[in-house]
Amino acid sequence: MDPLEDVLSLLDTRSHLSTSLTAGGDWCVRFSPPSGVKFNSVRRGGCLLDVEGEPGPLVLAEGDCFLLTRRRGFTLRSGFGVEPVDASPVFAAAENGVARTGEGEDVLLVGGRFSFGSRARELLLDNLPPVIHVPAGSGQAETVRWALDAIDRELRQRGMGATLVAQHLAVVMLVHVLRLYLAGRSSTATGWLAGLGDPTVAAALASIHAEPARAWTVAELARRASVSRSTLAARFKAAVGRGPLEYLRAWRIELAAKRLLQGGEPVAAIAHAVGYGSESALSTAFKRVTGVSPRDYRKQGHR
């Protein structure tokens, strides 16, 4: 199993495409903190990006894209010394899916956001930097450009099911952006994402995700990774921030939480499915992690 695919699936990752923005001349648009993860792609021209709390500005060229993983306000602008306007009235006045600001059409941005389930912050987003920038000039960014070109084509041609196709393509783009981030900046990643950048740790993570209900030992995981038990324990802790079995227990709780919200499956059945010998064993572990019992978690909905 692929841990990245597992987490994105567990979090019900969905994309929501927004109105495009075209701009020209001197312009500056200020955006409120977005919900979820915001993304934008510069399809034509270039501009500057300022994000609250981050050094800037970030220069965006044609073909670049970026992800904002925190709820922070941001500003897109043509240059310095331009008074910002609020994004809300600009986008409220959009026509045919395109908002306009400034004079002319020098710049075109296509974007949207990704929404996730309630555990996204801890499982995924806290492991990422506030801003991920994918420059168009990077050879590795070819697959991201392909997805963005396909999204742009779907939105322009408006064939049957175009919006649905574009939304799925946006999730494809997200996966490629995360791959590029891990390949190029794995030393700055934290948590299980950092583990994916270490082949030894990645092998242990893949084993855990393939059989989460198995009674794994560190020795068995080390054999899967072709290293000694002590080597795996040290490298896993250094990369992920917790030991292999601690990670296994945490992942089981995530799987149990998902199943609790999916329907009326008995808690005892969920416990056995994720590797706990009894309902009481799951309840004790679940409450330690989430602060509530499995039954209360289900009642409260936690979404």
Side-chain angles (χ1 to χ4, degrees), residues 217-231:
T217 65
V218 176
E220 288 176 312
L221 290 170
R223 281 195 292 273
R224 291 290 181 94
S226 301
V227 295
S228 69
R229 181 174 140 177
S230 59
T231 296

Side-chain angles (χ1 to χ4, degrees), residues 18-23 27 29 31 38-49 60-61 64-66 74 76-77 91 97-99 101 105-112 152 155:
S18 64
T19 300
S20 300
L21 175 66
T22 185
W27 60 276
V29 181
F31 294 80
K38 176 69 177 175
F39 74 91
N40 267 117
S41 166
V42 183
R43 307 305 295 157
R44 182 173 64 243
C47 60
L48 302 177
L49 167 68
L60 300 175
D64 286 13
C65 72
F66 67 88
F74 66 100
L76 292 168
R77 54 191 172 90
F91 281 80
V98 179
T101 190
E105 299 182 348
D106 302 330
V107 181
L108 173 65
L109 295 106
V110 174
D152 189 30
L155 294 178

Side-chain angles (χ1 to χ4, degrees), residues 15 17-22 39-45 62-65 96-98 107-112 143-159 161-173:
S15 70
L17 297 173
S18 64
T19 300
S20 300
L21 175 66
T22 185
F39 74 91
N40 267 117
S41 166
V42 183
R43 307 305 295 157
R44 182 173 64 243
E62 186 170 311
D64 286 13
C65 72
N96 299 319
V98 179
V107 181
L108 173 65
L109 295 106
V110 174
T143 49
V144 176
R145 290 198 300 275
W146 171 86
L148 290 167
D149 288 341
I151 291 170
D152 189 30
R153 189 162 52 248
E154 289 290 335
L155 294 178
R156 282 188 291 101
Q157 296 177 354
R158 289 292 173 184
T163 299
L164 181 62
V165 171
Q167 288 172 346
H168 283 291
L169 285 167
V171 176
V172 172
M173 184 204 76

Side-chain angles (χ1 to χ4, degrees), residues 2 17 29 34 50 55 71 79 126 174 187 189 207 209 241 269 277 286 290 302:
D2 178 349
L17 297 173
V29 181
D50 293 288
R71 284 184 58 86
D126 282 348
L174 173 64
S187 62
S207 296
H209 281 257
F286 196 92
T290 67
H302 278 270

Side-chain angles (χ1 to χ4, degrees), residues 3 191-192 194-208 225 227 231-240 242:
W192 62 272
L196 296 182
D198 181 322
T200 295
V201 177
L205 284 169
S207 296
I208 288 171
V227 295
T231 296
L232 175 65
R235 289 175 66 165
F236 203 104
K237 182 68 177 292
V240 180
R242 60 178 71 178

